[in-house]
Amino acid sequence: MFKLYYYPNNASLAPHFLLHHVQADYELLLVDKKSNIQKSANYLKLNPAGRIPTLVVDGQAIFESPAICIHICELHPEYKLIPLIGDPKRPLFFQWLSFLNNTLQAELMVRYYPHKHTTDEVSIPSVIAAQDERIAEALSIINDQLENNEYLLGDKFSACDYFLFMLAGWSLPIKRSPMTFNNLALYLQRLSDNPTVKAVCELEEINLTPFESHS
């Protein structure tokens, strides 16, 4: 039994996709961000960073969304959501997951929480404008990768694709939306029709219309 501490359309979304995909026996535990529960003493015992998500497996708590995703994949190798050791695509899996987490997600966090990255309130609009450019650069790199590839790793679907779909949703309000990049838009449209994406997004009340409306 897995316990996923989550909040809708948060960094818990990719692990939620994976738990659904591998048909895991899991329980969803809402961490109410509006009440700042992620900073409560009880939650900090599980996740000292005070962020979402946290996954508890057999009494062991794991935090950081990419680490949780890798762990779920490796506990269910039969679903082939991560290339096996020795597979030449395995380093590419870690490359793209790291890029998504360390570049695209990191830039999105600065964009949406600019007050954490400056002591000058007047500069916040400039921070947001700069971040829109950084995010567009990251999306452009992903768009180029998808030019001749069905998925991030090539012709095989992986956990990286679920992680990318999560971040693409967060990127929709950006000046250059993911849907303005041709290859990425077609890819996201396909993924929005994925049964797991549909089921989990329905449960978390995430609107898929922005992806489905592009052809």
Side-chain angles (χ1 to χ4, degrees), residues 14-183:
H16 192 180
F17 283 146
L18 290 172
L19 289 171
H20 183 279
H21 185 112
V22 302
Q23 303 176 60
D25 180 16
Y26 67 95
E27 178 184 2
L28 289 173
L29 298 163
L30 179 67
V31 181
D32 189 358
K33 283 180 66 180
K34 294 176 183 176
S35 302
N36 223 27
I37 296 298
Q38 73 275 17
K39 302 299 183 184
S40 67
N42 284 341
Y43 188 75
L44 289 172
K45 289 176 185 176
L46 297 172
N47 185 335
R51 294 196 294 261
I52 303 167
T54 301
L55 184 74
V56 177
V57 189
D58 298 328
Q60 181 182 45
I62 306 162
F63 60 94
E64 294 296 333
S65 189
I68 291 170
C69 288
I70 292 166
H71 191 49
I72 294 169
C73 291
E74 294 197 327
L75 287 175
H76 293 274
E78 67 274 18
Y79 286 92
K80 300 179 180 178
L81 289 166
I82 183 173
L84 297 174
I85 293 174
D87 187 320
K89 290 291 176 71
R90 188 172 172 90
L92 297 180
F93 175 95
F94 291 112
Q95 168 193 285
W96 284 111
L97 190 60
S98 296
F99 178 81
L100 293 171
N101 180 234
N102 295 340
T103 301
L104 180 54
Q105 185 174 347
E107 302 290 12
L108 283 163
M109 291 303 96
V110 176
R111 201 278 186 196
Y112 286 121
Y113 301 98
H115 55 282
K116 293 184 178 182
H117 301 275
T118 179
T119 55
D120 179 10
E121 291 288 320
V122 177
S123 70
I124 284 180
S126 297
V127 173
I128 292 172
Q131 288 310 113
D132 279 356
E133 292 298 320
R134 301 292 80 73
I135 292 161
E137 288 170 5
L139 293 174
S140 179
I141 290 169
I142 294 165
N143 184 67
D144 289 347
Q145 171 66 8
L146 293 169
E147 183 169 1
N148 297 306
N149 293 301
E150 188 175 0
Y151 301 109
L152 265 183
L153 298 191
D155 59 354
K156 291 184 179 178
F157 186 86
S158 76
C160 290
D161 297 295
Y162 281 139
F163 208 94
L164 173 52
F165 193 86
M166 173 180 75
L167 299 183
W170 302 354
S171 303
L172 288 171
I174 302 304
K175 188 175 179 182
R176 286 201 66 194
S177 158
M179 304 310 288
T180 65
F181 295 86
N182 290 340
N183 304 321

